Amino acid sequence: MKTLKKISAVVAALALTVGMCVNVFAATAGWTDYLGFDGKKGHTWYEAADGKVTNITESGWQADLKQIGWGGIWGAQMYRKIDVVKGKKYHITCKLKSSDCNKWVFIKISTKEDFAFGKWVWLTKGTETTVDEEFTAEANADQITFGFGGEYGDRESTDGNKHYAYAGGAKAIAAKKDADGDSGPHDKTFTTITCSNYSLTEAGATQTSAASPGTASTTTTPVATGDFTPIACGAAAIIAAAAIVVFARKREND
């Protein structure tokens, strides 16, 4: 009977721990958000975006912005870890939308400021825009970042970033200033930015099809995300179960 109780306790601990981990994993799905003026600890950049990120899944997210800010594209970000290798070909797809204003979004695949890929995406108010592009990585990269803060081509010479090069310079971004919600200092423009159907895959090696000799078929494999949450959850479950067994034995000996 005592053994049965101990087994039951272990099963309960495992279920509880795994359940907690699943909830945490579902809440983040590998993504991390930064809204520079949303009140979270350390988020006190008054020029940045304010709001809340919701509906996070493995393939997308939703950012409800009270204000887009005026401090540049990095005032609002969603990012996740990846593993991209220089010289290899990759395929990125996603759908982006801004509900209440025209909006620039910049997609950055890099290790810090060492870019593997960069792309500016112009969103017309209320219209979903599809990104579907194949690229050869210009460098190794460990992170993909979506920047969607207030942006009108400023700070080209002061922020130290290379992202303007992917638009032909800051003036090309500022050229859409009058039509963009990113209108300048003290901007309180609000909008909801949504990302869906996100995928980043590596183009696989060309292989000969067994069904049709001489016919080439190309496969793709998902890019590793570097998310160790499931591993951490498994470790936590094992530790919890071991602790309960030890505690049960101690009580039995007492």
Side-chain angles (χ1 to χ4, degrees), residues 83-125:
D83 185 11
V84 163
V85 178
K86 180 179 180 179
K88 289 189 175 182
K89 288 186 176 181
Y90 296 89
H91 186 204
I92 183 171
T93 60
C94 65
K95 294 182 179 181
L96 298 168
K97 184 178 179 180
S98 173
S99 64
D100 290 280
C101 71
N102 297 331
K103 190 76 193 69
W104 279 116
V105 175
F106 184 67
I107 302 174
K108 171 184 177 182
I109 297 178
S110 69
T111 300
K112 295 183 179 179
E113 292 305 304
D114 196 5
F115 280 72
F117 172 79
K119 183 177 180 64
W120 287 92
V121 184
W122 175 252
L123 305 182
T124 302
K125 173 184 175 180

Side-chain angles (χ1 to χ4, degrees), residues 31 38 47 56 151 166-167 172 190 204:
W31 295 98
D38 64 2
E47 299 180 14
I56 302 175
E151 177 60 65
Y166 290 88
F190 62 88

